């Protein structure tokens, strides 16, 4: 089997293992899987795992990647989450094709494997309750105590397991345990649980089962059943690896056993990544749902206007390693901004408007200027932007008495109105309190299209919107959801919820947009020229357009900090 052409690129350690297996260990088809538990929405950390697992399947001939729902904890799981996970993986640009599986597909098979281990003296039904099991497990320094049921005859265990399965016993009365070693230096190996009784309906298997498999038992065997070659997970499972191997070897259904490989999980500044915490943010209404644009969920990021390619580039950039680290938010926005710069449609939007009147422009005249939609991509075409006597510009593009270095509009100064004309400011109107109500200007008809008529230069180019054509919009501006870089660090005695940034959402309703934006589409990225990247929010209606601020044009957060 040949590897791809990117030989000059240095391989991350996971790919080194895989290439070594292909080149030296006789592996012919690499099989990975992405195994989310359907108990929440996917977040940017999952994206790292998706890019790694599905990415590998795109690199090697014959390689595949399964999407497997690890659905062994019915109380927290739901089809809503399964649907969102599928939508998010697809949106990120990956495809499991016909390889969609559920651990619950294997409940019957796993049960059969458990019976086999019981018959072989490798598992037993234990009557200690969870408390007693914990109490007899020992410590890192001290061996645990054997369960009184450890030598239970296998026939008895088989029949008890059958009764457990069929709901004869209450939760917590019996468990099935692997018979390994109560003195093992790795605590995970001290007769770990394989099944516990849980009389609760499962979103797929209903009330058929009163026992559900534990993670280590279900996960390794699901990998083995699917013929996974490399089972990639995060570092905290390193201590589980001996148990993973023990189960896979004990059941022994294939020659080439799946290999568990651990990598460092993604931690990103100013957010939390644990599903439990994300669920709490949603349930306690600290945010407006899983897809709130401030959430680190894929759904939130999509709604915010981050692009799948930007996220994939980010995952490539941060790489895959064995060492936990905290990634700065700037690294994330850098990747997204790079992609947005390529794909965003350029438009003019005035976020904080002030009126301009061109005194020498004919009262009812309207001109339409053909404007490129995206200078980075000719295929995006052009549109017509109307220009008329009354316009809006940004308040901060005007100063009554500007300093020398201010290259925007000021009384007596000339600037270019982007794509339209050279405009000179003549005077201002003020109300009784001295607030400017309108700026009076003149235009040079010879400068049509924004081109200099006689070689004279202007230093500033500003954006504008025709007042009578402008459409109103609400703009939602976001800041980090948390005010500290590592909100999960509770060493200061404060819970992550106490670190929520109270000002993370700011709404403004005064924006004036160029009229083409009335046809804005959800999922399309816009660059509001000189202002930043924006996208239409799903809360929009025909009567009211709402745009989310995705990110600024430049790295304003980094600057703010310094
Ligand atoms: P949580 O502990 O918050 O519930 P999880 O890791 O249990 O998250 P799963 O649904 O089990 O969530 O994760 C599916 C896959 O995504 C696993 O292989 C897991 O290792 C990986 N994953 C989860 N979080 C991250 C992260 N922050 N960085 C990289 N991979 C992650
Ligand atoms: Mg998990």
């Amino acid at each position: 089997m040949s590897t791809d052409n990117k030989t000059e690129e240095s391989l991350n350690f996971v790919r080194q293992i895989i290439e070594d297996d292909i080149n030296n260990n006789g592996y012919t088809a690499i099989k990975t899987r992405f195994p989310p538990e359907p108990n929440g929405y996917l977040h940017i950390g999952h994206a790292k795992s998706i890019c790694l697992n599905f990415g590998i399947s795109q690199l090697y001939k014959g390689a595949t990647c399964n999407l497997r729902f690890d659905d062994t904890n019915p109380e927290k799981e739901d089809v809503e989450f399964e649907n969102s996970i599928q939508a998010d993986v697809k949106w990120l640009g990956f495809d499991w094709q016909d390889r969609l599986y559920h651990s619950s597909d294997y409940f019957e098979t796993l049960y059969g494997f458990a019976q086999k281990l019981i018959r072989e003296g490798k598992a037993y039904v234990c009557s200690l309750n969870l408390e007693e099991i914990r109490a007899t497990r020992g410590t890192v320094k001290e061996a645990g105590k054997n369960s009184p049921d450890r030598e239970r005859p296998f026939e008895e265990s088989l029949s008890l397991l059958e009764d457990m399965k069929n709901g004869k016993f209450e939760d917590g009365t019996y468990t099935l345990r692997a018979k390994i070693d109560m003195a093992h230096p790795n605590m995970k190996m001290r007769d770990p649980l394989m099944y516990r009784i849980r009389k609760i309906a499962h979103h797929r298997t209903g009330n058929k089962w009163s026992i559900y498999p534990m993670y280590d038992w279900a996960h390794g065997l699901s990998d083995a059943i699917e013929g996974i070659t490399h089972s990639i997970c995060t570092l905290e499972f390193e201590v589980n690896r001996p148990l993973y191997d023990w189960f896979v070897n004990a059941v022994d259904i294939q020659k080439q056993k799946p290999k568990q490989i651990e990598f460092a999980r993604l931690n990103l500044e100013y957010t939390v990544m644990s599903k439990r915490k994300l669920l709490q943010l949603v349930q306690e209404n600290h945010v407006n749902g899983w897809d709130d644009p401030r959430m680190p969920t894929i759904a939130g990021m999509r709604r915010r206007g981050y692009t799948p390619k930007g996220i994939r580039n980010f995952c490539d950039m941060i790489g895959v390693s064995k060492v936990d680290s905290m990634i700065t938010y700037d690294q994330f926005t850098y990747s997204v901004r790079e992609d947005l710069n390529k794909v965003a449609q350029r438009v003019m939007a005035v976020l904080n408007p002030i009126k301009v009147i061109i005194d020498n422009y004919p009262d009812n005249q309207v001109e339409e200027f053909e404007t490129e939609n995206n200078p980075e991509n000719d295929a995006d075409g052009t549109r017509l932007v109307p220009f008329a006597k009354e316009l809006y510009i940004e308040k901060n593009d005007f100063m009554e008495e500007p300093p020398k270095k201010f290259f925007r509009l000021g009384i007596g100064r000339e600037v270019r109105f982007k794509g339209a004309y050279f405009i000179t400011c003549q005077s201002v109107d003020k109300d009784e309190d001295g607030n400017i109500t309108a700026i009076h200007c003149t235009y040079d008809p010879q400068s049509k299209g924004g081109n200099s008529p006689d070689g004279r230069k202007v230093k500033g180019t500003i954006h504008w919107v025709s007042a009578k054509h402008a459409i109103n919009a609400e703009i939602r501006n976001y800041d980090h959801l948390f005010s500290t870089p590592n909100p999960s660090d509770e060493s200061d005695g404060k819970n992550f919820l106490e670190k929520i940034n109270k000002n993370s959402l700011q709404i403004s309703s005064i924006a004036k947009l160029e009229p083409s934006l009335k046809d804005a589409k959800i999922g399309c990225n816009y660059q509001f020229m000189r202002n930043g990247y924006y996208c239409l929010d799903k809360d929009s209606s025909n009567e009211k357009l709402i745009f989310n601020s995705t990110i600024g044009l430049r790295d304003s957060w980094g600057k703010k900090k310094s």
Side-chain angles (χ1 to χ4, degrees):
M1 181 165 53
S2 69
T3 57
D4 84 320
N5 45 9
K6 289 192 184 165
T7 40
E8 74 282 4
E9 169 199 346
S10 77
L11 297 183
N12 66 51
F13 82 96
V14 177
R15 287 189 50 199
Q16 276 172 18
I17 293 172
I18 290 176
E19 301 213 347
D20 184 50
D21 282 340
I22 293 169
N23 296 328
N24 305 317
N25 299 329
Y27 281 60
T28 51
I30 300 304
K31 290 189 175 187
T32 56
R33 86 286 171 266
F34 172 63
E37 185 177 350
N39 62 350
Y41 279 59
L42 295 182
H43 53 59
I44 182 72
H46 293 116
K48 180 175 178 182
S49 175
I50 292 168
C51 289
L52 178 60
N53 281 294
F54 281 96
I56 284 167
S57 75
Q58 293 171 345
L59 285 173
Y60 302 100
K61 226 204 233 146
T64 53
C65 180
N66 297 350
L67 173 61
R68 183 200 313 144
F69 289 115
D70 204 351
D71 56 346
T72 54
N73 284 309
E75 55 267 73
K76 294 191 206 149
E77 297 161 359
D78 199 81
V79 278
E80 177 201 342
F81 298 131
E82 290 198 6
N83 294 337
S84 75
I85 288 169
Q86 293 186 51
D88 290 347
V89 172
K90 287 224 163 114
W91 179 76
L92 276 174
F94 298 103
D95 187 358
W96 55 89
Q97 291 163 345
D98 56 354
R99 284 178 284 274
L100 174 68
Y101 302 105
H102 290 81
S103 297
S104 58
D105 295 339
Y106 313 134
F107 281 175
E108 205 67 57
T109 312
L110 289 173
Y111 187 79
F113 291 158
Q115 289 173 316
K116 169 179 139 88
L117 295 199
I118 292 173
R119 266 185 237 107
E120 292 172 359
K122 293 180 183 160
Y124 60 96
V125 170
C126 177
S127 60
L128 298 181
N129 63 35
L130 291 183
E131 200 111 305
E132 291 164 329
I133 290 177
R134 215 169 295 131
T136 52
R137 188 164 277 153
T139 63
V140 184
K141 292 204 183 104
E142 254 175 80
K145 277 205 216 77
N146 283 351
S147 158
D149 301 322
R150 211 167 190 259
E151 304 309 325
R152 191 192 289 283
F154 76 87
E155 298 88 347
E156 212 177 292
S157 279
L158 283 175
S159 127
L160 280 169
L161 183 64
E162 192 73 18
D163 290 342
M164 286 163 63
K165 171 189 163 196
N166 293 329
K168 279 221 178 128
F169 306 121
E170 293 313 307
D171 288 16
T173 50
Y174 287 103
T175 57
L176 183 73
R177 298 177 72 178
K179 193 169 168 181
I180 305 180
D181 180 0
M182 287 306 291
H184 201 286
N186 182 336
M187 305 277 289
K188 297 265 176 202
M189 300 293 275
R190 296 187 184 174
D191 290 13
L193 302 195
M194 294 168 66
Y195 284 100
R196 76 260 193 250
I197 300 175
R198 270 253 166 274
K199 293 179 130 178
I200 178 170
H202 184 281
H203 71 280
R204 296 187 78 242
T205 58
N207 290 312
K208 177 159 184 225
W209 294 85
S210 291
I211 54 171
Y212 291 99
M214 303 300 291
Y215 173 84
D216 292 292
W217 170 236
H219 198 88
L221 269 299
S222 300
D223 285 343
I225 291 166
E226 291 174 14
I228 300 303
T229 55
H230 298 82
S231 176
I232 304 166
C233 63
T234 41
L235 277 182
E236 66 272 23
F237 290 100
E238 198 161 12
V239 291
N240 299 55
R241 194 186 334 139
L243 182 54
Y244 179 100
D245 291 341
W246 191 91
F247 280 135
V248 160
N249 287 321
V251 174
D252 195 23
I253 50 171
Q254 62 187 176
K255 228 168 78 216
Q256 201 173 54
K257 307 277 187 290
K259 267 188 198 181
Q260 178 179 303
I261 304 171
E262 309 87 15
F263 73 105
R265 67 195 295 119
L266 168 67
N267 301 303
L268 186 61
E269 277 183 343
Y270 297 101
T271 191
V272 294
M273 218 84 92
S274 137
K275 276 191 277 191
R276 180 180 60 77
K277 289 181 177 154
L278 295 176
L279 181 67
Q280 201 177 346
L281 289 172
V282 173
Q283 284 181 336
E284 296 177 5
N285 297 314
H286 299 291
V287 294
N288 302 315
W290 285 100
D291 66 348
D292 185 300
R294 293 164 294 181
M295 288 281 270
T297 53
I298 304 298
M301 293 188 157
R302 172 168 59 232
R303 188 167 167 194
R304 174 77 175 258
Y306 297 146
T307 62
K309 180 133 193 290
I311 294 174
R312 292 198 305 268
N313 289 348
F314 169 67
C315 292
D316 278 352
M317 179 177 84
I318 57 174
V320 177
S321 85
K322 271 270 184 200
V323 189
D324 273 319
S325 65
M326 179 68 83
I327 304 292
T328 68
Y329 216 81
D330 292 348
Q331 282 175 274
F332 175 70
T333 49
Y334 172 82
S335 301
V336 177
R337 192 178 285 112
E338 255 198 340
D339 186 44
L340 283 172
N341 180 47
K342 294 194 187 108
V343 301
Q345 305 296 297
R346 272 61 171 177
V347 291
M348 292 199 281
V350 176
L351 301 181
N352 191 11
I354 186 161
K355 173 102 40 104
V356 166
I357 301 165
I358 316 283
D359 291 327
N360 62 339
Y361 195 83
D363 281 352
N364 295 316
Q365 179 170 303
V366 175
E367 286 176 276
E368 293 195 301
F369 290 109
E370 185 169 8
T371 308
E372 262 184 311
N373 288 329
N374 181 1
E376 301 285 321
N377 183 7
D378 290 343
D380 285 344
T382 62
R383 70 189 183 290
L384 295 174
V385 182
F387 182 91
K389 188 180 180 81
E390 297 199 358
L391 308 155
Y392 291 111
I393 63 167
E394 300 286 351
K395 254 190 189 142
N396 66 7
D397 277 340
F398 175 79
M399 277 181 91
E400 209 175 346
E401 289 169 35
K404 234 179 155 189
K405 285 253 162 81
F406 185 83
F407 298 126
R408 291 164 274 168
L409 205 56
I411 294 177
R413 302 238 179 137
E414 185 172 53
V415 297
R416 177 189 292 107
F417 274 31
K418 173 126 182 101
Y421 288 108
F422 279 23
I423 307 273
T424 305
C425 175
Q426 305 296 346
S427 63
V428 293
D429 291 342
K430 290 186 180 175
D431 64 14
E432 289 160 10
D433 301 327
N435 300 314
I436 296 173
T437 53
I439 302 167
H440 287 272
C441 298
T442 51
Y443 82 118
D444 178 352
Q446 304 303 315
S447 63
K448 191 165 177 169
N451 302 312
S452 177
D454 54 6
R456 81 178 184 274
K457 290 209 166 71
V458 290
K459 278 233 165 100
T461 298
I462 65 176
H463 62 279
W464 49 271
V465 170
S466 161
K468 71 173 161 195
H469 300 95
I471 48 179
N472 297 321
E474 173 180 311
I475 306 287
R476 295 181 179 170
N477 292 295
Y478 302 100
D479 199 347
H480 297 301
L481 188 52
F482 293 94
S483 48
T484 59
N486 188 2
S488 294
D489 175 6
E490 297 179 353
S491 60
D492 56 0
K494 287 194 184 143
N495 176 277
F496 76 105
L497 295 172
E498 294 173 74
K499 295 163 192 164
I500 288 183
N501 173 8
K502 299 272 183 321
N503 300 314
S504 59
L505 169 61
Q506 308 268 358
I507 295 178
S508 156
S509 299
I510 55 173
K512 301 283 182 186
L513 316 182
E514 66 162 76
S516 73
L517 281 167
K518 74 174 184 304
D519 299 320
K521 302 256 176 322
I522 288 179
C524 182
N525 298 101
Y526 299 93
Q527 186 193 95
F528 289 3
M529 279 166 16
R530 301 177 62 232
N531 276 317
Y533 294 99
Y534 292 79
C535 68
L536 188 70
D537 190 78
K538 68 172 192 186
D539 287 346
S540 292
S541 64
N542 284 340
E543 290 71 48
K544 186 178 179 190
L545 291 184
I546 300 172
F547 281 84
N548 293 314
S549 162
T550 308
I551 39 172
L553 294 174
R554 264 166 248 109
D555 168 21
S556 58
W557 182 258
K559 268 196 280 178
K560 233 191 295 177
K561 272 193 302 192
S562 59

